[in-house]
Amino acid sequence: MNAICSVNDDQARRWNGLAGRAWVDMRAVVDGMFQPMADLLLAAVSAAGARAVLDVGCGTGAVSLGIAARLGAAGRCLGIDISAPMIAAAQARAALDGLHAAFLQADAQTYAFAPASFDMIVSRFGVMFFEDPVAAFGNLLAAARPRAALRLLAWRGADANPFMTTAERAAAPLLPDLPPRPADGPGQFGFADAAKVRRILEAAGWTAVDIQPVAFTCALPDSELGRYLIRFGPLGQLLPDMAEATRAPIVAAMRAAFEPYRHGGDIRFTAACWSIGARAPG
C-alpha cells in the first residue's frame, strides 16, 4: 500500500534516498544488531494480549513480521513507514515467509487511520523523526482503541551512546565541512530528553506515561563494519558517492576509532535507550 503524504519533506527525501537504501541493503546486519530491541517489543505485545498492532516506523519489517508470526492468522499487524524502499523490502519478506502482515508507505503523523482500530502501538526507533510530534501522537491516539497500549523504544542522548557518534568524530578532522547533528528536532536523538517526551505524549492525550532507561548489548560482524561506516549516520549521506582515493583515509581513521569495540570477530556496543509506555484514555 502507498498513501504517502508527508509534511516532513527532509525526512521523506532522506528515507527514500541513501538512508532508506542502506537499511535495505544491510537489512540482515541491522536486524541482527537490533534483535534485542525487537525481542523486548515482541514480549510486550505478548504480555499485553494485543490482537491488532500498529508498528510505527517499521523499516524493513523485522518487528512487524515478528509480531505477525506471534499473532497468527487471528491477529493483525500493520507496519507504516515513510520509506518506499524499506516498505517494498518488508512486503517482499512477508510474502516470502507467508506471514499475515500488511505494510503501508505513509507518514504516520498525517495518515488517516481508521479510528480506534489498534489495541497496541509499538515502535523500534521510528518515532524520533516527526516534524510535529504532538500532532503525530495525537493522530496515533485517534487510531488507538480505548485503553490501548503504547510501547516505544528511542535512543537516549549521544553522550550515553558514544558508539553511534564514533565514526563522525573520527572523520571530523578529515571532513571539516561535515555538518554537526542537530541539537534538537527530528533525528536519531530527538527523544533523548525524557521530560520532553513526557510533555509530548501528555499534550497529545496519552495517559499513564512511563519512561524507563534500558540498555542492550548489540553486535555486528567486524567484517561488515566497513560497509556500515560508509552507509549509515551523517557520513552515509557523503561517503557513498565520494571518490575511493578520498574516502579510503577517512574509512581507515574511522575503523581505527572502533578498536575499543572489537571483541573477536564482532563489534560490540551498549545501546542506551528509553523504554516508553503509555495508554489511550478509556
Side-chain angles (χ1 to χ4, degrees), residues 30-180:
V30 174
D31 286 353
M33 187 165 60
F34 291 155
Q35 186 61 48
M37 295 78 159
D39 291 342
L40 183 149
L41 292 174
L42 296 178
V45 169
S46 295
R51 305 305 298 169
V53 182
L54 175 65
D55 179 15
V56 179
C58 65
T60 59
V63 172
S64 300
L65 295 171
I67 292 169
R70 292 203 178 196
L71 295 182
R76 179 170 63 93
C77 182
L78 173 65
I80 183 171
D81 202 287
I82 203 170
S83 172
M86 294 167 82
I87 286 293
Q91 290 169 330
R93 293 174 71 183
L96 182 65
D97 295 343
L99 291 171
H100 296 279
F103 292 96
L104 171 68
Q105 186 203 358
D107 187 342
Q109 179 175 319
T110 56
Y111 181 72
F113 296 100
S117 52
F118 299 101
D119 53 21
M120 190 164 191
I121 297 174
V122 302
S123 181
R124 184 188 67 180
F125 304 142
V127 297
M128 306 92 69
F129 304 95
F130 294 126
E131 183 177 65
D132 184 341
V134 173
F137 280 100
N139 192 45
L140 293 174
L141 182 60
R145 294 170 181 164
R147 300 293 298 162
L150 181 73
R151 176 63 58 187
L152 316 171
L153 287 173
W155 295 100
R156 283 187 263 163
D159 289 349
N161 288 284
F163 177 89
M164 287 296 164
T165 58
T166 295
E168 61 216 70
R169 285 185 279 114
L174 301 173
L175 291 171
D177 295 329
L178 180 67

Side-chain angles (χ1 to χ4, degrees), residues 121 137-138 140-141 144 148-150 201-209 278-281:
I121 297 174
F137 280 100
L140 293 174
L141 182 60
L150 181 73
L201 293 176
E202 291 178 346
W206 290 90
T207 66
V209 177
R279 286 208 171 270

